[in-house]
Amino acid sequence: MLSNKLEGIGWVAYEALSRIVKAHPEVEFYFLFDRKPDPSFIFADNVKPVVLFPQARHPFLYIIYFEIAVKNALRKINPDVYLSTDAYLSLRSKVRQIAVFHDINFEHFPQDFPRLALWHYKKFFPKYAKKADKIITVSEFSKQDIVENYKVSPEKIHVVYNGANEGFKPIPEEVKTLVRDKYTSGNQYFMFVGSLHPRKNLARLFPAFDIFKERTKSEMKLLVVGEKRWWTESIQNAYNSMKYKDDVVFVGHLQMSELNKVTAAAFASVYVSYFEGFGIPIIEAYRCDVPVITSNVTSMPEVAADAALLVNPFDIESIANAMVAIQDENVRKSLIEKGRIRRDDFSWDKTAEGWWDVIVRS
């Protein structure tokens, strides 16, 4: 975990563990790192950081790290339970282990992954699922997906929803104006946020935005938040083919305080991934009173409920139609009101309590 570099799974771990540690000062926690941690990750005096070697930054190094370094550390520490926040376990350790599975998207869209990473996921994640004494996952969809693919008992899988940072909240109109002035020359914008991975579906979002622009003649921009770590040729080709590519604004990774404001100033959040275990940006937008367009597949209908416009992520016209439809002020008002109700079902406090309940029952 690197300071100011957290995304997705990293934020989930940060939010849940920081609360668990502070809520249970009577418990001693050992945090295992593969490099010297930033002090901000040592949440309280009852956390003992342990740095292991080698740095786990390659599939072969993952094996060495978890099957040798982690195994030896667990033997020395002898904890009551080992919690893995990203599902990686030590298959050779006899310590009781809990794995947090966010999703197994690689089983469904293997073409989206580098060959060596895919080999590691497909070889080891079924073993992790069977090895785990308990599994925490983030949606009923993911639970069923794990059961069906890895043939593990549903009784050992516990669904604990993710939350959203408390900093996501509505902002005054004058602040929205400042945000738009900074990023989109004062124009309204659709917002996408996430790792720029193929499954996030930018290759279809880009042409859908083109169709929207052609139909509406709007000055609307598309603001893309996220690093191009997984940027592929197909995404690049979709972008290069755009008529309105000059209306797409790439801002890279944003610090949380800035992301809060950028989300709250958006005209709408467009989150049309074709596979998600949960979909935190949906809840972040709800917290900001921003209407949402999201996909009608995997976990997203479960998370969004009736508070978003649901689209077929494989149908460019479906995405474009929703972008046009959400211009209607009555549609927007209805979605925002429903989002205010739905967002109350999710919080990091609830996530931490759910994780702890599984831990103490393991």
Side-chain angles (χ1 to χ4, degrees), residues 20-21 23-30 45-47 80 356 360:
I20 289 171
V21 164
H24 298 282
E26 75 285 0
V27 177
E28 188 172 55
F29 296 88
Y30 288 84
D45 292 340
N46 56 332
V47 174
D80 295 307
W356 185 249
V360 297

Side-chain angles (χ1 to χ4, degrees), residues 5 121 135 181 183 218 249 261 267 293 317 319 343:
K5 290 291 186 179
Y121 290 145
I135 293 173
D181 287 345
Y183 291 103
S218 166
V249 181
K261 291 187 290 186
F267 183 80
I293 298 169
E317 285 283 344
I319 301 169
R343 69 192 184 197

Side-chain angles (χ1 to χ4, degrees), residues 221-255:
K221 306 292 184 181
L222 173 61
L223 193 74
V224 178
V225 182
E227 294 182 348
K228 294 183 176 180
R229 207 178 317 167
W230 296 84
W231 190 265
T232 63
E233 184 178 354
S234 64
I235 301 174
Q236 185 67 50
N237 290 340
Y239 175 70
N240 290 341
S241 300
M242 291 184 71
K243 179 179 179 179
Y244 296 95
K245 66 168 65 71
D246 290 343
D247 289 318
V248 179
V249 181
F250 296 93
V251 298
H253 176 81
L254 295 178
Q255 299 303 313

Side-chain angles (χ1 to χ4, degrees), residues 114-134:
R115 185 175 300 177
L116 192 56
L118 179 63
W119 167 81
H120 186 269
Y121 290 145
K122 292 183 74 70
K123 180 176 179 63
F124 284 92
F125 271 60
K127 295 180 180 180
Y128 296 152
K130 291 180 171 60
K131 172 71 172 178
D133 293 279
K134 299 285 185 181

Side-chain angles (χ1 to χ4, degrees), residues 25-36:
E26 75 285 0
V27 177
E28 188 172 55
F29 296 88
Y30 288 84
F31 282 10
L32 306 184
F33 297 93
D34 69 347
R35 63 179 67 186
K36 184 178 180 181

Side-chain angles (χ1 to χ4, degrees), residues 175-232:
V175 180
K176 292 182 182 180
T177 299
L178 291 174
V179 173
R180 292 170 188 148
D181 287 345
K182 179 177 180 180
Y183 291 103
T184 57
S185 302
N187 292 291
Q188 296 270 20
Y189 58 86
F190 289 119
M191 176 186 177
F192 164 85
V193 59
S195 59
L196 307 191
H197 188 281
R199 70 185 170 103
K200 300 298 184 177
N201 211 24
L202 289 170
R204 293 184 182 87
L205 177 57
F206 288 152
F209 181 65
D210 253 2
I211 294 171
F212 162 81
K213 293 284 287 187
E214 196 67 31
R215 287 183 186 170
T216 63
K217 309 303 180 185
S218 166
E219 294 297 317
M220 188 77 67
K221 306 292 184 181
L222 173 61
L223 193 74
V224 178
V225 182
E227 294 182 348
K228 294 183 176 180
R229 207 178 317 167
W230 296 84
W231 190 265
T232 63

